[in-house]
Amino acid sequence: MNKRILFFGLFSIAVLLTSCQEQQRSFYTPPKPYSEQRAIDNDSLLHFLQTRFYNYEAYTAADSSTRVTFVIDTIQGENSDKTPLMEQVEQINLKVKDNEGVYHDHTAYVLRIRSGEMEAAPSIADSVFVTYKGMLLNLNKFDERTTPIWFESLSNIKGFSALMPYLTPGTYATNEDGTYTFDGFGSAAIFMPSALGYYNQASGTIPAYSPLIFAVDLYTYNETDHDGDGVPTYVEDVDQDTYFDDDTDGDGVPNYADPDDDNDEILTKDEYDANGDGIVDDSDGDGTPDYLDKD
Ligand SMILES: [Ca+2]
Ligand SMILES: [Ca+2]
Ligand SMILES: [Ca+2]
Ligand SMILES: [Ca+2]
């Protein structure tokens, strides 16, 4: 082949690739600032909670082994005497961390529907056995599970995990045919701004910047210890900011997945509570437990 033709051929491919990249760049929209979207979402949530009610009468009427489907309707006409959700929810404040590590306060609203029979609630890091229904503020259902499924809370959206400590489980038995019988399980719902959901990412039938509603029933749960070092995963969030990226020894492996958190070559499981007295060891008494303390 003529070298000049080859050269111009390659040259025009390079030009084509560059212009494609430039076009892609011009289509990219950076996410909206959290402060801006937070105000929009909170206005939408407040208006929603003031003008809607849920089927609380159905929950009151149901016996403790019956699962009730969460339904929301507008307060008007024959429903004008219903109690607005706003009077039944409690406000919770959560921090969202951006790519630069800056925290942004966000407000979500939790509705406690039924308490479970058991007292202990899961942490935001535990594996949970749940049924649920997910809805948008226009009441379109984007997801639902009516038979229980295990979820790893760490891989769920932030607003979903944040609801777990508000749920208590019941008792359950596995039947001969593999189905389950439940009793006394807990139910709760969360109304969250988009930053605790998918934010600027559209997901399935969920448009970008959608506040979300999840109603969840909790049957049972397992406390997690992802790295098996004897420290429950929820404790490995050292700075308690609800993000599990804490990395005490800076080796790139977060504490919840690192069997030696301080990289002193003594495994965490051998220095967390070496004498087994149930108290986390701090040999030099400096306030930093041994398993996070290099000296
Ligand atoms: Ca652990
Ligand atoms: Ca953390
Ligand atoms: Ca580490
Ligand atoms: Ca260690």
Side-chain angles (χ1 to χ4, degrees), residues 64-68 114 116-118 128-132 145-150 167-172 180-187 216-221:
S64 62
S65 61
T66 303
R67 183 182 170 272
V68 178
R114 286 208 291 211
E117 251 172 47
M118 312 298 271
V128 292
F129 197 46
V130 294
T131 49
Y132 66 91
R145 259 317 271 233
T146 56
T147 50
I149 180 175
W150 278 104
L167 280 158
T168 40
T171 51
Y172 78 102
Y180 302 98
T181 307
F182 300 100
D183 198 18
F185 50 90
S187 306
V216 182
D217 315 290
L218 176 72
Y219 303 96
T220 187
Y221 71 94

Side-chain angles (χ1 to χ4, degrees), residues 98-113:
D98 66 21
N99 292 337
E100 269 113 52
V102 179
Y103 295 106
H104 303 267
D105 289 315
H106 280 82
T107 303
Y109 301 87
V110 166
L111 173 70
R112 295 175 197 258
I113 301 173

Side-chain angles (χ1 to χ4, degrees), residues 151-168:
F151 268 141
E152 267 272 4
S153 286
L154 285 193
S155 41
N156 284 337
I157 55 166
K158 232 171 152 40
F160 192 96
S161 328
L163 179 63
M164 295 305 111
Y166 295 88
L167 280 158
T168 40

Side-chain angles (χ1 to χ4, degrees), residues 30 52 105 146 152 194 216 224 281 295:
R52 305 292 200 286
D105 289 315
T146 56
E152 267 272 4
S194 58
V216 182
T224 51
D281 302 341
D295 53 17

